[in-house]
Amino acid sequence: MQSNPSNPTTHRITTFIAAALIFGVLCLSGCGTLKEGADPVVVRAEQATVAALETFDAFLLIEHQNRAVLHALDPGIHLFADRLRANAPRWLASARAMTKAYKANRTPDSRASLQTALAVLAAGLAETQSYLVKTKTATP
Amino acid sequence: MNNPVAIIAATMPLVLNLIEYINKLREVARQTGELTEEEDAALDVRIRDLGTLAHWRKGEIPGPDTAPIASSSTETVN
């Protein structure tokens, strides 16, 4: 699908992508109360990992299916997507490993390591969202 | 691309992807307990196998140089 980046249709598509992904992440802000006995650190870590996985997956699928249009808008989107492809599996695996380490040994040290791994994931997530918003602002 | 049918055809897969994504996130937001052993193992497998998915592999930018050449071939075999 070849398209001119100044095309109003492209603008509408990319605006919709950005709005939908931001809305999706906002859905997480309405987290309910936890089950009795559930450790909030573990539950939030697992939620953050799955949410990051779903967001990276959605972004990479959209980039894969609309590569020509998005590349015309901003070549940086494809470069970022390839960087995400290279790094995200490692970030996710690290968050999983730290979650398991914390579950096995719930000490302040293991909690701090888990929070560091989650901060890396959160940074990747924020950058993914900024690239999606960029697709909107790259058009007039 | 100003034809409304073409616009709908072009955006429909994208809209479906986004609806699926939002539904998955809503499901995550509803989680109130720790993952079960099965869910835990399934998540690990999913992360481990990301590289097998086409959209998780590095890709070329489609352009004139990467267009399929089969349609332009007029060679015949004797």
Side-chain angles (χ1 to χ4, degrees):
Chain A
M1 188 169 60
Q2 296 285 346
S3 169
N4 181 344
S6 61
N7 185 329
T9 305
T10 305
H11 177 62
R12 280 194 292 271
I13 293 170
T14 52
T15 301
F16 182 73
I17 294 171
L21 284 154
I22 290 167
F23 170 78
V25 173
L26 286 177
C27 285
L28 286 177
S29 62
C31 298
T33 51
L34 299 183
K35 274 183 194 165
E36 209 176 308
D39 184 338
V41 174
V42 173
V43 177
R44 299 307 179 213
E46 289 171 344
Q47 280 182 320
T49 306
V50 177
L53 171 60
E54 299 298 358
T55 303
F56 296 154
D57 193 53
F59 171 72
L60 292 180
L61 187 63
I62 289 166
E63 192 274 339
H64 180 74
Q65 291 177 344
N66 302 276
R67 187 164 289 159
V69 175
L70 294 177
H71 188 262
L73 280 172
D74 180 355
I77 294 170
H78 176 67
L79 295 176
F80 171 70
D82 271 354
R83 195 151 50 85
L84 194 61
R85 288 180 175 105
N87 293 319
R90 191 163 39 83
W91 299 337
L92 292 161
S94 173
R96 293 293 295 144
M98 293 302 159
T99 304
K100 286 175 187 176
Y102 174 77
K103 281 171 93 168
N105 186 19
R106 301 182 195 224
T107 63
D109 278 352
S110 61
R111 182 177 172 166
S113 299
L114 172 57
Q115 282 168 344
T116 303
L118 293 177
V120 172
L121 263 191
L125 195 59
E127 204 175 357
T128 304
Q129 286 162 357
S130 76
Y131 269 91
L132 285 161
V133 172
K134 211 173 175 182
T135 64
K136 171 180 178 278
T137 52
T139 53
Chain B
M1 189 166 66
N2 291 321
N3 180 350
V5 177
I7 292 171
I8 292 168
T11 54
M12 191 51 73
L14 185 63
V15 171
L16 294 176
N17 284 342
L18 290 169
I19 289 171
E20 192 183 342
Y21 163 69
I22 289 167
N23 283 336
K24 283 176 180 172
L25 282 193
R26 290 177 68 188
E27 205 174 297
V28 174
R30 279 197 293 266
Q31 181 188 339
T32 56
E34 297 177 16
L35 295 180
T36 63
E37 270 184 39
E38 291 77 18
E39 290 167 335
D40 211 51
L43 180 56
D44 284 339
V45 169
R46 198 175 157 207
I47 291 171
R48 189 195 66 201
D49 292 346
L50 285 176
T52 63
L53 301 172
H55 61 285
W56 277 85
R57 287 197 290 268
K58 281 193 175 188
E60 297 291 321
I61 306 296
D65 295 338
T66 57
I69 56 170
S71 59
S72 64
S73 173
T74 54
E75 278 184 50
T76 54
V77 177
N78 293 324

